[in-house]
Amino acid sequence: MSYLNGSHHITMSVAGAQEDVDFHVNVLGLRLIKRTVLFDGKIPIYHLYYSNADGDPSAVLTTFPFGQAGINGRRGTNQAREVLLAVPSGSLNFWADRLKDRAADVHDATVFDRRRVLFRHPCGIEYQLVEVDDDPRRGFTGAGVPQEYAIHGIYGVGVHVTGPDTAVEFAANHLGAREGLAEGDRFALEAGRSGLGGAVELVVNRTDGPGTWIYGAGTIHHFAWNADNLKNQDELKFEIEGAGYTDLSELRDRKYFKSIYVRSPGGALFELAVTHNEGGWDCDESPQELGKRFQLPDQFESRRDEILGRLEPIDI
């Protein structure tokens, strides 16, 4: 039984907050829907959320700008490495031209016999644009990106592993993933409903050393699955634990959703996320005002002035 409904979000540790906003909003044309802080640890770090027009689960990218704290990660194997984004069919020429003036390491590649546009975030994280037919999710038309080219949301994630067998077994047996195409050292899987960002592409990488698993600039921290409801989330946690994968967190309330984290055998950190009844992006802002005001969880509200004084100023 599959308890998943596609992806929920991807979370990255980036370098500077301003360059991250400029990249996601002004280059990719995404909508900034939330400005808050990292719930974990004592160092005040932004948590920034970007999405398509409607903030759909499966369309949200979130970032922790750890450059201000001077903490850097190391990209390598046994971690999520590639952010895969879905764009409308026929849009890659537009994106290739736009990105050549605005992003790093922009080039075309053929993956599974289809063209993709590859580029990098300013902090070095790898991105790929994948054309998708009839995607129902609505792109956001920010920064001059027309509707016919706007990013729909997440396509999936690329995970680099030293060997695919245990990662495939975990995804198939516990995430309900379906195996797809294979091409050289790249293996395609998909979990959840088709078209909702649930693609996982395993890349066998025996060249790079192990990547870091900490919060560190320049790395993907985790890939979140949409468990759809709390019952599914709970049952999936017990199923994974019962199979012997005991590296799971307890339920954590992230205000906008509730989360359980599991370290997969391929090394990638996965999150099982549920947007619960008391949460959602509009629990503290109206849908029209998303991202306009700096939000803090209740436990940090008494430190608002201190936290704002320590965070890097950003111009939205």
Side-chain angles (χ1 to χ4, degrees), residues 137-207:
R137 299 170 295 179
R138 194 164 63 99
F140 185 63
T141 55
V145 177
Q147 184 69 59
E148 62 266 30
Y149 303 137
I151 294 169
H152 292 303
I154 297 166
Y155 178 82
V157 65
V159 178
H160 286 219
V161 295
T162 53
D165 293 346
T166 56
V168 169
E169 180 184 33
F170 177 83
N173 292 346
H174 305 295
L175 303 180
R178 305 171 295 279
E179 294 189 45
L181 298 173
E183 179 182 85
D185 288 334
R186 184 176 288 259
F187 302 84
L189 307 168
E190 185 176 26
R193 289 170 53 196
S194 181
L196 291 182
V200 175
E201 297 184 358
L202 299 174
V203 180
V204 178
N205 181 342
R206 297 190 177 98
T207 302

Side-chain angles (χ1 to χ4, degrees), residues 9-130:
H9 64 271
I10 301 177
T11 293
M12 296 161 275
S13 296
V14 298
Q18 186 64 60
E19 72 176 16
D20 184 66
V21 170
D22 291 342
F23 175 76
H24 285 108
V25 174
N26 298 332
V27 176
L28 298 186
L30 296 175
R31 183 184 183 192
L32 178 66
I33 61 168
K34 197 65 60 181
R35 283 183 284 161
T36 183
V37 293
L38 173 63
F39 278 41
D40 302 323
K42 296 181 179 179
I43 304 172
I45 297 292
Y46 278 119
H47 195 177
L48 305 173
Y49 293 70
Y50 310 92
S51 80
N52 65 1
D54 301 310
D56 296 320
S58 81
V60 176
L61 305 179
T62 92
T63 61
F64 302 130
F66 262 90
Q68 186 177 16
I71 302 174
N72 295 302
R74 181 180 63 254
R75 288 185 297 280
T77 192
N78 297 332
Q79 68 175 189
R81 279 275 296 264
E82 304 164 3
V83 177
L84 312 180
L85 300 178
V87 296
S89 293
S91 67
L92 287 184
N93 286 340
F94 167 84
W95 282 109
D97 291 342
R98 180 180 176 90
L99 290 167
K100 283 173 184 175
D101 296 328
R102 297 174 169 89
D105 195 19
V106 181
H107 61 279
D108 281 9
T110 301
V111 180
F112 300 129
D113 293 325
R114 296 189 66 182
R115 177 190 175 197
R116 294 184 182 182
V117 172
L118 280 57
F119 58 103
R120 289 180 184 265
H121 186 285
C123 72
I125 295 173
E126 301 156 69
Y127 281 60
Q128 297 186 19
L129 297 181
V130 183

Side-chain angles (χ1 to χ4, degrees), residues 140-306:
F140 185 63
T141 55
V145 177
Q147 184 69 59
E148 62 266 30
Y149 303 137
I151 294 169
H152 292 303
I154 297 166
Y155 178 82
V157 65
V159 178
H160 286 219
V161 295
T162 53
D165 293 346
T166 56
V168 169
E169 180 184 33
F170 177 83
N173 292 346
H174 305 295
L175 303 180
R178 305 171 295 279
E179 294 189 45
L181 298 173
E183 179 182 85
D185 288 334
R186 184 176 288 259
F187 302 84
L189 307 168
E190 185 176 26
R193 289 170 53 196
S194 181
L196 291 182
V200 175
E201 297 184 358
L202 299 174
V203 180
V204 178
N205 181 342
R206 297 190 177 98
T207 302
D208 296 335
T212 52
W213 290 350
I214 61 170
Y215 293 125
T219 58
I220 296 173
H221 187 258
H222 63 264
F223 180 81
W225 298 97
N226 181 11
D228 197 41
N229 60 66
L230 294 172
K231 183 175 182 292
N232 277 353
Q233 184 188 55
D234 195 46
E235 290 183 358
L236 182 53
K237 178 180 188 291
F238 283 118
E239 178 184 303
I240 293 172
E241 283 180 324
Y245 297 101
T246 56
D247 190 8
L248 283 85
S249 74
E250 295 305 312
L251 183 66
R252 298 182 183 178
D253 190 340
R254 300 311 197 186
K255 185 177 180 179
Y256 308 109
F257 46 86
K258 293 185 177 180
S259 303
I260 293 169
Y261 300 87
V262 55
R263 181 70 65 183
S264 70
L269 181 63
F270 288 149
E271 175 183 340
L272 313 174
V274 172
T275 303
H276 54 98
N277 292 337
E278 297 81 27
W281 314 126
D282 57 357
C283 71
D284 51 16
E285 295 177 288
S286 72
Q288 295 74 32
E289 296 175 324
L290 294 181
K292 302 297 184 185
R293 291 181 290 118
F294 179 60
Q295 304 292 337
L296 280 175
D298 292 341
Q299 67 266 31
F300 293 148
E301 190 59 55
S302 63
R303 298 174 56 199
R304 175 175 285 268
D305 291 343
E306 171 211 341

